[in-house]
Amino acid sequence: MVVFTSLLAATSYMTLGTLKGSAVERASYQAFLLAESALDVFPKLVRCGQPPPSTYTLTVSGGPTASVTYVYSEGSAGAAFSGGEVTVQAVAEFAGAKARVQQTFTGSCGIAGAIPAALTSRPRIEVRGNAQVIGQDFAQATGLLTGVTQVSLTANLPLLQNLTQGGSLSLSVQDASLILPGSYVQIPTGGTPKTYRVEGKSGNTLTLTPLFTPSLTDVILPSAPVNLVQFGVKAYDPGTNTLTLSDARGLVPGQTVKVSSYQGTVQSLDLATGKVTVAWSGTPPPDIAEGTPLVPQVLGAASSLTIDTRGGGQVLHGTAPNSPMVPSDPDELFRRVFGMSKDAFRALYPPVSASSFNGTLANWELKVVQGTVNLTGSNRLCGRGILVVFGNLTVNGSCGQGFQGLIYVAGDYDQQGNAVLTGAVVVEGVANLQACNGNECWTQIAGTGQGGGKIVYDPLVLQRLRVASQGSAQVVAKQGSWRRL
């Protein structure tokens, strides 16, 4: 696509050069065409986890090489792209003439996974039988994902002796797949956990910068655990109460968060820049050190309507009935979870028919199903991955080890029997919730058999799904945003 666009631009470029008119007019047209060509190519140049491109170069056979500069809104330049909206200006010069055009693009880098609860549902929620829906214990949560990997060393590693001249460290770990450049990790060093910034990785070798002053006693031991900071603070502006995170995917406006001993509520967030504005409860923090974990509160259940329990049914670690954290617009709920519209999602991941799906997902795959799915009898929910159902879903059982992953149902959801799910469930329900009567629009969770925890939130599962789904950016122009400046 980049080559095709460049050829098209080059052909038009040469054609315009033959137009009648003054040299100034021709130069202005050519500068404008270069700028427009740069906007056309922009979506193909964006890469997840890397800053957006700074220049675009167009080489024309028999003519000069033309270069276009990309200019971004304040805060976007230099920030690694992780999805959301980005506004870019393409500035081109040709033969003394200058042209500037602007457009806003929206993009995604895998699933955003922005959910406030283990069970997030637009319809009403009912938990009954001996079923439990379990969120995260906010009081005990540290913001660290433990069990991600461990150091792979054969001997002790003294820090001072192994730092490069630039102050970085190469460290081998057993599995670096869940650790992304730009994130933060904590490793026991000299007997206490200490924080490092991940500058890069090659295979299972990480390049780390310690966020502390190393001493002679700072030694990393073989098989030391490497804990990932899920939402690491890169910077903090106390004047605007704005945090810049290594990755803001997963957070929801209105969600309660804590940083060190300070607690507040997310007011707004920008996935493209990682900026999160917080309304602090009480005195705001005067400063926040780089690498400090931000801890979001993930409840047991959240709904745009009511939440009820019957019999022995329980929701642990909090509920949010009638919550603005759950959009009443079903399309907005989908966009929060997947970072794109349903049409764009279907184009990327064409659905299979419900009749061809037996309930099993393998190796953290993403499975999209169209139609009503009834996982009963021999068809049980099994495996690990992301299951998206454009229709109703009934789950009456799972494999003995349960299912790990994220389930999104663009219809009604009914979970019964001995089904057990670790990760999260999001239910869109019918489009017009106000037209529901009786139990028609309930998200029902009941169960017997395998224990009380029928849906158990696991932040490590969501992190794995975000990383596994993160590939080349999917970027499209926002309709009506083009401007000539």
Side-chain angles (χ1 to χ4, degrees), residues 31-300:
F32 170 76
L33 183 61
L34 286 172
E36 182 65 12
S37 175
L39 285 185
D40 290 341
V41 174
F42 177 79
K44 302 301 179 183
L45 301 180
V46 178
R47 295 291 181 268
C48 291
Q50 299 179 18
S54 58
T55 59
Y56 164 64
T57 301
L58 177 63
T59 302
V60 181
S61 177
T65 297
S67 180
V68 182
T69 300
Y70 291 116
V71 179
Y72 301 92
S73 57
E74 184 178 357
S76 297
F81 183 78
S82 60
E85 285 193 358
V86 58
T87 299
V88 57
Q89 295 179 12
V91 183
E93 291 190 43
F94 185 86
K98 179 182 288 188
R100 183 187 295 260
V101 292
Q102 175 180 295
Q103 192 153 29
T104 299
F105 295 85
T106 60
S108 65
C109 293
I111 69 167
I115 57 173
L119 173 58
T120 302
S121 172
R122 287 178 63 248
R124 301 172 179 87
I125 294 175
E126 179 187 274
V127 182
R128 54 189 173 84
N130 71 342
Q132 292 182 344
V133 177
I134 304 174
Q136 189 175 44
D137 188 342
F138 186 56
Q140 300 298 320
T142 62
L144 298 177
L145 299 181
T146 60
V148 171
T149 188
Q150 61 187 52
V151 171
S152 181
L153 294 173
T154 57
N156 294 350
L157 185 71
L159 210 58
L160 281 176
Q161 298 176 24
N162 288 274
L163 291 176
T164 66
Q165 188 173 2
S168 62
L169 168 76
S170 291
L171 183 66
S172 295
V173 298
Q174 291 188 353
D175 182 5
S177 60
L178 296 184
I179 301 174
L180 298 175
S183 61
Y184 299 90
V185 294
Q186 283 192 8
I187 305 171
T189 309
T192 58
K194 294 188 177 178
T195 304
Y196 299 78
R197 181 174 59 242
V198 181
E199 305 292 357
K201 71 175 180 178
S202 176
N204 288 328
T205 300
L206 302 175
T207 302
L208 306 175
T209 297
L211 299 183
F212 57 93
T213 302
S215 67
L216 292 173
T217 60
D218 285 326
V219 177
I220 298 177
L221 302 180
S223 301
V226 179
N227 298 325
L228 178 64
V229 180
Q230 186 179 19
F231 299 101
V233 176
K234 293 176 62 176
Y236 173 60
D237 182 356
T240 60
N241 295 325
T242 300
L243 298 158
T244 301
L245 303 182
S246 55
D247 189 348
R249 291 182 302 163
L251 300 179
V252 177
Q255 192 171 25
T256 299
V257 296
K258 64 180 180 180
V259 182
S260 299
S261 60
Y262 299 92
Q263 186 168 308
T265 303
V266 175
Q267 287 189 308
S268 64
L269 55 93
D270 185 343
L271 295 182
T273 62
K275 292 186 180 297
V276 179
T277 303
V278 178
W280 299 105
S281 301
T283 304
D287 189 30
I288 298 174
E290 182 182 2
T292 301
L294 176 144
V295 184
Q297 183 180 33
V298 182
L299 303 167

Side-chain angles (χ1 to χ4, degrees), residues 3 26 53 137 140 198 258 335 346 367 406 478:
V3 172
R26 291 198 300 271
D137 188 342
Q140 300 298 320
V198 181
K258 64 180 180 180
R335 188 179 295 276
R346 285 190 181 98
K367 178 74 73 174
L406 171 67
K478 186 176 181 180

